[in-house]
PDB file of all heavy atoms in Angstrom:
ATOM      1  N   ARG A 283     119.822 149.578  79.495  1.00 33.00           N
ATOM      2  CA  ARG A 283     121.004 150.246  78.948  1.00 33.00           C
ATOM      3  C   ARG A 283     120.709 150.787  77.550  1.00 33.00           C
ATOM      4  O   ARG A 283     121.097 151.894  77.206  1.00 33.00           O
ATOM      5  CB  ARG A 283     122.194 149.271  78.890  1.00 33.00           C
ATOM      6  CG  ARG A 283     122.855 149.013  80.220  1.00 33.00           C
ATOM      7  CD  ARG A 283     124.253 148.446  80.016  1.00 33.00           C
ATOM      8  NE  ARG A 283     124.253 147.250  79.192  1.00 33.00           N
ATOM      9  CZ  ARG A 283     124.093 146.025  79.643  1.00 33.00           C
ATOM     10  NH1 ARG A 283     123.871 145.826  80.928  1.00 33.00           N
ATOM     11  NH2 ARG A 283     124.132 144.979  78.823  1.00 33.00           N
ATOM     12  N   ASN A 284     120.018 149.955  76.739  1.00 38.00           N
ATOM     13  CA  ASN A 284     119.699 150.415  75.393  1.00 38.00           C
ATOM     14  C   ASN A 284     118.751 151.607  75.417  1.00 38.00           C
ATOM     15  O   ASN A 284     118.904 152.557  74.662  1.00 38.00           O
ATOM     16  CB  ASN A 284     119.063 149.266  74.585  1.00 38.00           C
ATOM     17  CG  ASN A 284     120.105 148.267  74.121  1.00 38.00           C
ATOM     18  OD1 ASN A 284     121.218 148.645  73.774  1.00 38.00           O
ATOM     19  ND2 ASN A 284     119.748 146.999  74.122  1.00 38.00           N
ATOM     20  N   LEU A 285     117.744 151.554  76.294  1.00 34.00           N
ATOM     21  CA  LEU A 285     116.823 152.684  76.412  1.00 34.00           C
ATOM     22  C   LEU A 285     117.577 153.931  76.829  1.00 34.00           C
ATOM     23  O   LEU A 285     117.383 155.009  76.277  1.00 34.00           O
ATOM     24  CB  LEU A 285     115.743 152.357  77.446  1.00 34.00           C
ATOM     25  CG  LEU A 285     114.626 151.411  76.993  1.00 34.00           C
ATOM     26  CD1 LEU A 285     113.793 150.997  78.199  1.00 34.00           C
ATOM     27  CD2 LEU A 285     113.748 152.083  75.959  1.00 34.00           C
ATOM     28  N   SER A 286     118.475 153.784  77.797  1.00 34.00           N
ATOM     29  CA  SER A 286     119.235 154.936  78.274  1.00 34.00           C
ATOM     30  C   SER A 286     120.130 155.481  77.168  1.00 34.00           C
ATOM     31  O   SER A 286     120.261 156.692  76.994  1.00 34.00           O
ATOM     32  CB  SER A 286     120.087 154.540  79.479  1.00 34.00           C
ATOM     33  OG  SER A 286     119.256 154.096  80.535  1.00 34.00           O
ATOM     34  N   PHE A 287     120.712 154.579  76.379  1.00 32.00           N
ATOM     35  CA  PHE A 287     121.576 155.030  75.286  1.00 32.00           C
ATOM     36  C   PHE A 287     120.793 155.876  74.293  1.00 32.00           C
ATOM     37  O   PHE A 287     121.245 156.927  73.841  1.00 32.00           O
ATOM     38  CB  PHE A 287     122.186 153.825  74.568  1.00 32.00           C
ATOM     39  CG  PHE A 287     122.813 154.188  73.245  1.00 32.00           C
ATOM     40  CD1 PHE A 287     124.020 154.852  73.179  1.00 32.00           C
ATOM     41  CD2 PHE A 287     122.161 153.890  72.054  1.00 32.00           C
ATOM     42  CE1 PHE A 287     124.576 155.196  71.954  1.00 32.00           C
ATOM     43  CE2 PHE A 287     122.713 154.219  70.840  1.00 32.00           C
ATOM     44  CZ  PHE A 287     123.917 154.885  70.784  1.00 32.00           C
ATOM     45  N   LEU A 288     119.574 155.419  73.944  1.00 36.00           N
ATOM     46  CA  LEU A 288     118.800 156.148  72.959  1.00 36.00           C
ATOM     47  C   LEU A 288     118.455 157.538  73.457  1.00 36.00           C
ATOM     48  O   LEU A 288     118.573 158.534  72.744  1.00 36.00           O
ATOM     49  CB  LEU A 288     117.500 155.391  72.637  1.00 36.00           C
ATOM     50  CG  LEU A 288     117.667 154.027  71.964  1.00 36.00           C
ATOM     51  CD1 LEU A 288     116.293 153.466  71.611  1.00 36.00           C
ATOM     52  CD2 LEU A 288     118.524 154.123  70.723  1.00 36.00           C
ATOM     53  N   VAL A 289     118.022 157.643  74.715  1.00 35.00           N
ATOM     54  CA  VAL A 289     117.642 158.940  75.246  1.00 35.00           C
ATOM     55  C   VAL A 289     118.842 159.852  75.367  1.00 35.00           C
ATOM     56  O   VAL A 289     118.812 161.014  74.989  1.00 35.00           O
ATOM     57  CB  VAL A 289     116.945 158.766  76.615  1.00 35.00           C
ATOM     58  CG1 VAL A 289     116.664 160.117  77.233  1.00 35.00           C
ATOM     59  CG2 VAL A 289     115.648 157.987  76.450  1.00 35.00           C
ATOM     60  N   MET A 290     119.969 159.316  75.908  1.00 31.00           N
ATOM     61  CA  MET A 290     121.151 160.153  76.101  1.00 31.00           C
ATOM     62  C   MET A 290     121.729 160.612  74.771  1.00 31.00           C
ATOM     63  O   MET A 290     122.155 161.753  74.621  1.00 31.00           O
ATOM     64  CB  MET A 290     122.200 159.396  76.912  1.00 31.00           C
ATOM     65  CG  MET A 290     121.828 159.211  78.375  1.00 31.00           C
ATOM     66  SD  MET A 290     123.186 158.528  79.345  1.00 31.00           S
ATOM     67  CE  MET A 290     123.391 156.931  78.597  1.00 31.00           C
ATOM     68  N   ALA A 291     121.716 159.706  73.783  1.00 36.00           N
ATOM     69  CA  ALA A 291     122.272 160.084  72.497  1.00 36.00           C
ATOM     70  C   ALA A 291     121.478 161.218  71.879  1.00 36.00           C
ATOM     71  O   ALA A 291     122.037 162.166  71.322  1.00 36.00           O
ATOM     72  CB  ALA A 291     122.283 158.884  71.555  1.00 36.00           C
ATOM     73  N   SER A 292     120.162 161.146  72.008  1.00 36.00           N
ATOM     74  CA  SER A 292     119.347 162.203  71.410  1.00 36.00           C
ATOM     75  C   SER A 292     119.538 163.521  72.118  1.00 36.00           C
ATOM     76  O   SER A 292     119.440 164.586  71.508  1.00 36.00           O
ATOM     77  CB  SER A 292     117.872 161.805  71.451  1.00 36.00           C
ATOM     78  OG  SER A 292     117.420 161.740  72.778  1.00 36.00           O
ATOM     79  N   ALA A 293     119.804 163.470  73.432  1.00 34.00           N
ATOM     80  CA  ALA A 293     119.951 164.718  74.178  1.00 34.00           C
ATOM     81  C   ALA A 293     121.343 165.309  74.016  1.00 34.00           C
ATOM     82  O   ALA A 293     121.522 166.516  74.037  1.00 34.00           O
ATOM     83  CB  ALA A 293     119.662 164.455  75.655  1.00 34.00           C
ATOM     84  N   ALA A 294     122.364 164.445  73.845  1.00 34.00           N
ATOM     85  CA  ALA A 294     123.739 164.917  73.903  1.00 34.00           C
ATOM     86  C   ALA A 294     124.281 165.349  72.561  1.00 34.00           C
ATOM     87  O   ALA A 294     125.210 166.143  72.492  1.00 34.00           O
ATOM     88  CB  ALA A 294     124.635 163.813  74.481  1.00 34.00           C
ATOM     89  N   VAL A 295     123.739 164.823  71.455  1.00 39.00           N
ATOM     90  CA  VAL A 295     124.321 165.101  70.152  1.00 39.00           C
ATOM     91  C   VAL A 295     123.285 165.770  69.263  1.00 39.00           C
ATOM     92  O   VAL A 295     122.383 165.113  68.768  1.00 39.00           O
ATOM     93  CB  VAL A 295     124.810 163.803  69.482  1.00 39.00           C
ATOM     94  CG1 VAL A 295     125.529 164.120  68.188  1.00 39.00           C
ATOM     95  CG2 VAL A 295     125.721 163.030  70.423  1.00 39.00           C
TER      96      VAL A 295
END
Side-chain angles (χ1 to χ4, degrees):
R283 284 199 305 273
N284 283 324
L285 284 169
S286 299
F287 166 75
L288 296 185
V289 174
M290 288 188 297
S292 66
V295 186

